[in-house]
Amino acid sequence: MIDDETLLETGLAPEGRGPVLLIGCGALAREILDLKSANGWDHLDLHCLPAILHNHPERIPEAVETAVTARSADYAQVFVLYADCGTGGLLQAVCERLGVGMLKGPHCYSFFEGNTVFAARDEMTAFYLTDFLVRQFDAFVTKPLGLDRFPQLRDMYFGNYTKLVYQAQTDDPELTEKAKACAAFLKLDFERRLTGYGDLEVAMSQL
């Protein structure tokens, strides 16, 4: 299994096998690979971009376009396993121009829970973490926001949040405890939801 640090900074290169190429976020790599293995979806190949792009959504459209342009000739079909992810519709515009499909929804928190369910909740004061983001909390939250050096900034960033919602893809007690610690660090109430793979599995099953 590829390690989180590699997925964070480098991503995952495709194996060059199968007629369908998935281009996804490194933060989804384990979930995608688990679904491929569990369902015998050997026709799906995976290329993940660095997960750290999660913190720089303005860079995602160009990175996806570069990957599609470089690799599409080797596959019968390309599908993008990103939702909008903070790109303000720019990623969708790129995918439409290139003629490739992409995940529906505003972000991974939505499609993991199920886009319809997530929209109905209408939670404006919840901060979300997935399995990957719990494991990489320091890399995505603590250090980029300077909370390791200036803990007083917590109120500036999180003062309007009321709870941390851990959307668990797997039933892992160790990750649950770490997610609780993240909530305590941010001084937020804690809620855990075992979402599984949500609409990610649905989209992959249709390829």
Side-chain angles (χ1 to χ4, degrees):
M1 175 62 69
I2 191 168
D3 65 275
D4 279 354
E5 292 301 320
T6 300
L7 293 173
L8 179 71
E9 300 292 344
T10 306
L12 178 68
E15 295 181 344
R17 296 185 298 177
V20 179
L21 176 65
L22 307 175
I23 295 178
C25 174
L28 303 178
R30 292 185 183 222
E31 288 72 25
I32 297 167
L33 292 173
D34 284 348
L35 284 168
K36 280 186 43 150
S37 176
N39 292 282
W41 291 337
D42 296 330
H43 64 293
L44 302 177
D45 199 3
L46 176 61
H47 172 41
C48 280
L49 303 180
I52 198 61
L53 289 174
H54 188 280
N55 279 10
H56 302 280
E58 73 281 359
R59 301 178 188 174
I60 294 174
E62 182 179 358
V64 168
E65 180 168 6
T66 298
V68 172
T69 302
R71 300 189 182 276
S72 60
D74 298 325
Y75 297 86
Q77 181 183 358
V78 176
F79 191 86
V80 173
L81 289 180
Y82 277 92
D84 181 73
C85 297
T87 69
L90 294 179
L91 180 57
Q92 181 177 348
V94 166
C95 289
E96 289 177 351
R97 176 163 51 82
L98 297 174
V100 299
M102 63 178 285
L103 286 172
K104 296 179 180 179
H107 39 59
C108 59
Y109 314 122
S110 179
F111 66 67
F112 270 138
E113 193 146 335
N115 287 315
T116 301
V117 172
F118 185 87
R121 289 186 184 277
D122 194 27
E123 294 174 315
M124 300 298 294
T125 60
F127 181 72
Y128 300 93
L129 294 178
T130 63
D131 282 7
F132 183 86
L133 293 176
V134 169
R135 293 194 302 268
Q136 291 294 316
F137 183 78
D138 286 342
F140 278 88
V141 180
T142 309
K143 293 179 180 178
L145 296 181
L147 299 178
D148 54 334
R149 304 181 305 279
F150 308 104
Q152 66 272 19
L153 293 176
R154 189 221 68 93
D155 291 340
M156 179 186 300
Y157 290 122
F158 294 96
N160 293 323
Y161 289 98
T162 59
K163 63 180 176 180
L164 183 150
V165 176
Y166 168 36
Q167 296 177 325
Q169 283 71 67
T170 56
D171 192 6
D172 186 326
E174 185 175 343
L175 279 181
T176 298
E177 289 305 309
K178 185 170 183 180
K180 288 180 180 178
C182 294
F185 175 74
L186 298 177
K187 301 178 183 178
L188 299 176
D189 293 337
F190 177 75
E191 181 178 346
R192 176 184 180 271
R193 298 173 189 163
L194 183 58
T195 65
Y197 303 109
D199 289 347
L200 175 65
E201 182 171 12
V202 174
M204 289 178 63
S205 70
Q206 294 172 348
L207 294 171

